C-alpha cells in the first residue's frame, strides 16, 4: 500500500466518522475519532486472520510501520498548536499568566514526581520490574496535558473565560516543558546522562525562553509584512510559512519548537488579525486554520485509536494500569487544587478545581513520547500503561467534560480581575 493510498484510506475514515457524528451522535469529535480507530482495528485483525486476501494485511503493516512520534512531533504538532493558539484570547491570557505559567512548569514537575514515585511503589507492591527512573519517565510523559485533546474538549464545553483560557494556555505551553523533562528523565533511565534537578529546571527555562523570544520576533516580522499588502492568498501563505518556519528554526537552534509556534500563533491571532488584515482576509485566514485544525485533529485521533495494533498488552499489567490511572488523576487534582480554590473563592468560579482537573486531558503527545522510548524491558510496560491512561482520558474524560462544563456554567461568568 502506497503512502497516497494509505492517506486516502485514513482521510476517508475520518470523513465517514465525522459524517456519522454530525448526523447522529453529536459527541466530542476527538472521542468519536478514537472510537473509530479502535473500532476499525479489531475487524482488521480478524479479517487478516480469516481472509488474508481481503487486503487487511497491508493496512496493519502500514500502521506498524508508521512512525507515530515523528508524525505527531515532527509534522502535525506545529500546525495544530498554531491553529489552537489563534483561538486564545491573548489579553485574557496575560491576565492569567501567573496561573498558566505555574501550572505549565511547576505543575508538570510536581506531577512527574508524584506519578513517578507512586507508580514505582505500585510496581514494587505488584512484583513488577519497573525501576524508579523508568517510573519517572512515565510520570514525565503523562504529566503534560495534551494541547490537542484539551483544545478540542474546551470547544465542546461552556466554560467561563477565566477557566477556558487557563486550560488552553496551560495545555499550549506545558507540552514544551514536558518534552524537556521527559528527555532528561529518559537520559537518566537509559544511563546516558547524569542530569540534576537544577540542570533540568535550567534547561526548561532556557528552552522555553528561547522558543518564546523566537516566536514573538518571527510573528512580529510577519505581521509587519502583512500590513504592507491586502491579498488574502498571500497572507494565508505567510501564516502557513510562519507556523512551519518558526517550528523548524526552533528545533535547529535547540529551543522549544512548541512554545515558539504557540507564541507566534497567539500574536497572529490577536494583533495580526486586528491590525494587519482586512475583513475579507480575516475570514479566509480563520477559515483556513479552522479547517487545518479540524482535519488534522480528526486524522490524529483516528491514528491514536489505530495504534492499539502496535501496543503490546499483557493482562498481568491491568492492576498497574489502574494504579497509574488513579495516580495521574490524583496528581492532577493535587496540582490544580490551589488555583481551583483561588478561582472559586476569589473569582466566583464555581467547581473550578473539578473543571481544571477533569479538563486536563492526555492524548497523542503522551503516546508519541512513549513510542519513542528505546526497546527494552520497560518499554512495553510504559507503552501499554500510557495507552490505557490516554484512552481513558479521551473517551471518559472527553465524553463527560461537557457535562461538567455545563454544571460549571451555572456559576457567574468570568471576573476580569486577578491572576
Amino acid at each position: 500500500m502506497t503512502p497516497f493510498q494509505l492517506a486516502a484510506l485514513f482521510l476517508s475514515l475520518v470523513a465517514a466518522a465525522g459524517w456519522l457524528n454530525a448526523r447522529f451522535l453529536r459527541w466530542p469529535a476527538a472521542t468519536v475519532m478514537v472510537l473509530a480507530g479502535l473500532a476499525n482495528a479489531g475487524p482488521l485483525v480478524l479479517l487478516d486472520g480469516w481472509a488474508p486476501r481481503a487486503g487487511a494485511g497491508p493496512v496493519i503493516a502500514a500502521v506498524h510501520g508508521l512512525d507515530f512520534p515523528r508524525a505527531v512531533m515532527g509534522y502535525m504538532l506545529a500546525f495544530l498548536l498554531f491553529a489552537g493558539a489563534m483561538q486564545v484570547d491573548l489579553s485574557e491570557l496575560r491576565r492569567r499568566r501567573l496561573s498558566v505559567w505555574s501550572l505549565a512548569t511547576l505543575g508538570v514537575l510536581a506531577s512527574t514526581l508524584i506519578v513517578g514515585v507512586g507508580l514505582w511503589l505500585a510496581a514494587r507492591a505488584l512484583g513488577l520490574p519497573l525501576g524508579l527512573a523508568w517510573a519517572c519517565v512515565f510520570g514525565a510523559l503523562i504529566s503534560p496535558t495534551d494541547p490537542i485533546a484539551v483544545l478540542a474538549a474546551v470547544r465542546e464545553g461552556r466554560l467561563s473565560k477565566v477557566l477556558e483560557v487557563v486550560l488552553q494556555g496551560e495545555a499550549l505551553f506545558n507540552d514544551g516543558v514536558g518534552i524537556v523533562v521527559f528527555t532528561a528523565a529518559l537520559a537518566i533511565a537509559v544511563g546516558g546522562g547524569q542530569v540534576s534537578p537544577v540542570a533540568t529546571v535550567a534547561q526548561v527555562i532556557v528552552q522555553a525562553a528561547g522558543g518564546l523570544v523566537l516566536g514573538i520576533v518571527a510573528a512580529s516580522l510577519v505581521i509587519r509584512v502583512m500590513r504592507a499588502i491586502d491579498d488574502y492568498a498571500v497572507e494565508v501563505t505567510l501564516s502557513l510559512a510562519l507556523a512551519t518556519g518558526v517550528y523548524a528554526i526552533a528545533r535547529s537552534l535547540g529551543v522549544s519548537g512548541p512554545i515558539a509556534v504557540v507564541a507566534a500563533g497567539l500574536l497572529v491571532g490577536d494583533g495580526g488579525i486586528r491590525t494587519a488584515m482586512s475583513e475579507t482576509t480575516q475570514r479566509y485566514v480563520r477559515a483556513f486554520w479552522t479547517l487545518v485544525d479540524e482535519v488534522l485533529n480528526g486524522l490524529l485521533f483516528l491514528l491514536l485509536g489505530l495504534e492499539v495494533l502496535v501496543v503490546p498488552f499483557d493482562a498481568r499489567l491491568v492492576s498497574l494500569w489502574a494504579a497509574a490511572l488513579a495516580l495521574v488523576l490524583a496528581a492532577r487534582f493535587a496540582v490544580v487544587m490551589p488555583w481551583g480554590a483561588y478561582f472559586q473563592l476569589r473569582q466566583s468560579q464555581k467547581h473550578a478545581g473539578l473543571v481544571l482537573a477533569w479538563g486536563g486531558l492526555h492524548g497523542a503527545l503522551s503516546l508519541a513520547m512513549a513510542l519513542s522510548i528505546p526497546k527494552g524491558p520497560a518499554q512495553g510496560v510504559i507503552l501499554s500503561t500510557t495507552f490505557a491512561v490516554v484512552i481513558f482520558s479521551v473517551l471518559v474524560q472527553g465524553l463527560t467534560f461537557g457535562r461538567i462544563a455545563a454544571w460549571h456554567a451555572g456559576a457567574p461568568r468570568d471576573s476580569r480581575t486577578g491572576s
Side-chain angles (χ1 to χ4, degrees), residues 60-82:
I60 296 174
V63 174
H64 277 271
L66 176 68
D67 191 342
F68 190 76
R70 176 175 290 182
V72 175
M73 293 187 283
Y75 304 122
M76 292 185 178
L77 194 59
F79 300 101
L80 290 168
L81 289 179
F82 190 87

Side-chain angles (χ1 to χ4, degrees), residues 64-309:
H64 277 271
L66 176 68
D67 191 342
F68 190 76
R70 176 175 290 182
V72 175
M73 293 187 283
Y75 304 122
M76 292 185 178
L77 194 59
F79 300 101
L80 290 168
L81 289 179
F82 190 87
M86 286 186 63
Q87 304 169 19
V88 178
D89 185 336
L90 183 56
S91 61
E92 187 66 29
L93 181 62
R94 289 194 182 103
R95 293 188 185 96
R96 312 299 163 193
R97 59 187 178 274
L98 180 58
S99 55
V100 168
W101 278 106
S102 63
L103 289 173
T105 54
L106 298 177
V108 169
L109 293 171
S111 178
T112 296
L113 292 175
I114 294 171
V115 174
V117 173
L119 192 69
W120 173 62
L121 294 173
R124 287 188 63 185
L126 294 169
L128 296 171
L130 185 68
L132 177 59
W134 284 110
C136 287
V137 169
F138 172 78
L141 67 87
I142 206 67
S143 290
T145 56
D146 188 276
I148 303 157
V150 170
L151 291 172
V154 167
R155 283 197 300 271
E156 301 289 340
R158 295 180 296 159
L159 293 179
S160 69
K161 202 66 175 178
V162 172
L163 299 188
E164 178 181 313
V165 80
V166 170
L167 281 172
Q168 288 175 325
E170 178 200 8
L172 286 169
F173 284 107
N174 72 5
D175 58 319
V177 175
I179 290 171
V180 175
V181 176
F182 167 75
T183 302
L186 185 61
I188 294 173
V190 299
Q194 299 296 327
V195 183
S196 69
V198 174
T200 300
V201 172
Q203 189 178 11
V204 169
I205 294 172
V206 170
Q207 292 200 16
L212 188 64
V213 170
L214 175 62
I216 291 172
V217 171
S220 299
L221 290 173
V222 169
I223 291 171
R224 178 169 295 185
V225 170
M226 286 178 172
R227 290 194 183 112
I229 61 171
D230 182 15
D231 187 312
Y232 68 83
V234 175
E235 291 179 73
V236 168
T237 306
L238 283 169
S239 70
L240 185 61
L242 174 62
T244 54
V246 77
Y247 193 77
I249 293 170
R251 298 186 73 179
S252 66
L253 293 177
V255 298
S256 175
I259 290 179
V261 79
V262 166
L266 286 169
L267 288 185
V268 171
D270 183 64
I273 291 286
R274 288 187 296 102
T275 67
M277 300 178 191
S278 65
E279 291 186 8
T280 299
T281 300
Q282 289 180 30
R283 288 197 298 270
Y284 276 99
V285 169
R286 289 196 182 279
F288 172 80
W289 283 105
T290 298
L291 186 61
V292 167
D293 189 36
E294 294 292 337
V295 173
L296 286 186
N297 257 313
L299 183 59
L300 182 58
F301 282 106
L302 178 79
L303 292 176
L304 176 59
L306 285 171
E307 284 297 302
V308 71
L309 294 171

Side-chain angles (χ1 to χ4, degrees), residues 33-56:
M33 292 303 167
V34 169
L35 286 173
L38 293 171
N40 281 281
L44 283 173
V45 173
L46 294 175
L47 190 62
D48 187 49
W50 292 343
R53 295 183 180 180

